[in-house]
Amino acid sequence: MQRTVFRSWWLPYVLVFPQMAVTVVFFFWPALKSLQLSLYRVSPFGDTMTFIGLENFTKLLADPEYYRSVANSLVFAAGVTVLAVAGALVLAALATQKIRGLAAYRTLLLWPYGIAPAVSGIIFLFIFHPTYGVLPYFLSFVTAYEFNWLLKGWVAMTLVIAATAWTHLGYNIAFYIAGLLAIPGAVMEAADVDGAGPVRRFRSIVFPLVSPITFYLVVLNMVFAFFESFGVIDAVTKGGPGDATTIMVYKLYKDGFIGLNLGSSGAQSVILMALVIGLTMLQFRFAEKKVTYR
């Protein structure tokens, strides 16, 4: 590998400066500001700050409602990650088959990623609404069970998981299509000659070869579910019914911007960031060992 040598000593610093500036302004500065707020009692208008140490954290850790939001977040993130990654792998495998209209099929699969999460939430709202939704109408012919997500918490959680996973499906499919097309055809032909069926080929050849992509997408989708799912929750359920779909990021929004409790909101931001960093480190510590790098 040839090493790049710059003629001017300052040019490398100029090239990395935009990325460093974006990282500092949009990641480190908000993180430090949240850490500062978590140690203070802040007036509703933000004009008075009183240092109270770790009191915001102790109140949160003694609040059963906060633990419910943590449990909701873990269920929500697991559901979104499994559904978005597994669904993308299945659809990408179908999109690499030799079928008529393949280009149009792939384009349609990538479309959901171009739709804002709040808009996708509205779309699912019209599909699942118990009064005017299409899906409850057809389900009424099959079963007498009422799938009313306005009253049943598990239905509401299933709805927001499906809507959030759908928004990230196109992104995952793009990666899987690229990975599946990169698998040498000679390897699959050799497996056919040896008598390996479709299930055996997928389990022994395809899945190990796309495992680096799977690992990357699992980490990315988990982070996405924890941090960037606010739009779907707010557009569809607003955390309800009760607090059945109130995840951590939505609770800190309600406490900070509706309840005007900025200190508690800052403490929740710090805990959320620590939780996601911890889960990501665990994934790199244990799950990465099962990844096959070619």
Side-chain angles (χ1 to χ4, degrees):
M1 180 181 295
Q2 185 177 3
R3 182 181 179 183
T4 302
V5 178
F6 293 95
R7 294 181 179 179
S8 304
W9 65 268
W10 47 266
L11 184 56
Y13 298 99
V14 172
L15 294 177
V16 301
F17 177 75
Q19 179 61 44
M20 294 301 296
V22 169
T23 304
V24 170
V25 172
F26 293 103
F27 181 76
F28 287 107
W29 185 79
L32 292 175
K33 191 66 178 176
S34 296
L35 182 60
Q36 180 195 14
L37 287 175
S38 69
L39 302 175
Y40 286 82
R41 180 185 297 115
V42 186
S43 66
F45 297 102
D47 54 345
T48 304
M49 297 176 63
T50 306
F51 182 77
I52 57 173
L54 299 176
E55 184 178 324
N56 286 321
F57 292 97
T58 56
K59 285 183 177 178
L60 277 177
L61 297 178
D63 184 7
E65 184 181 343
Y66 185 66
Y67 286 105
R68 284 197 294 273
S69 73
V70 175
N72 289 340
S73 298
L74 295 175
V75 172
F76 178 78
V80 170
T81 303
V82 170
L83 189 60
V85 175
L89 180 56
V90 172
L91 292 174
L94 295 175
T96 54
Q97 304 302 311
K98 295 178 180 178
I99 58 176
R100 182 177 298 176
L102 184 60
Y105 179 49
R106 289 178 180 173
T107 303
L108 292 174
L109 286 175
L110 299 179
W111 269 9
Y113 188 61
I115 300 175
V119 177
S120 68
I122 297 297
I123 294 172
F124 274 77
L125 181 68
F126 280 101
I127 295 174
F128 285 91
H129 198 280
T131 304
Y132 50 79
V134 176
L135 191 61
Y137 173 75
F138 286 109
L139 286 176
S140 65
F141 295 104
V142 180
T143 175
Y145 188 82
E146 189 176 357
F147 292 91
N148 190 341
W149 56 266
L150 297 174
L151 301 176
K152 296 180 173 64
W154 75 269
V155 180
M157 177 61 80
T158 304
L159 170 60
V160 293
I161 286 175
T164 308
W166 184 73
T167 61
H168 223 54
L169 205 57
Y171 181 85
N172 298 344
I173 288 173
F175 275 87
Y176 272 131
I177 287 178
L180 292 172
L181 292 178
I183 296 176
V187 176
M188 304 302 291
E189 292 173 1
D192 286 335
V193 171
D194 291 339
V199 177
R200 178 66 184 277
R201 288 201 304 270
F202 179 83
R203 183 167 56 86
S204 302
I205 299 175
V206 176
F207 191 73
L209 291 179
V210 298
S211 59
I213 298 175
T214 302
F215 178 68
Y216 165 74
L217 291 178
V218 166
V219 174
L220 192 73
N221 280 261
M222 185 201 70
V223 175
F224 168 81
F226 272 103
F227 284 112
E228 299 183 24
S229 51
F230 171 82
V232 173
I233 300 288
D234 190 59
V236 180
T237 65
K238 297 190 182 305
D243 57 358
T245 57
T246 300
I247 60 175
M248 296 172 73
V249 70
Y250 195 73
K251 179 171 170 52
L252 73 87
Y253 157 75
K254 287 201 303 184
D255 290 348
F257 290 91
I258 298 176
L260 298 180
N261 190 349
L262 298 180
S264 177
S265 181
Q268 293 177 51
S269 299
V270 173
I271 294 175
L272 175 59
M273 182 171 59
L275 176 64
V276 173
I277 291 175
L279 290 175
T280 305
M281 290 177 65
L282 286 176
Q283 288 178 331
F284 274 92
R285 176 69 176 81
F286 297 105
E288 195 182 21
K289 293 179 180 178
K290 300 182 183 299
V291 176
T292 302
Y293 292 102
R294 286 179 289 177

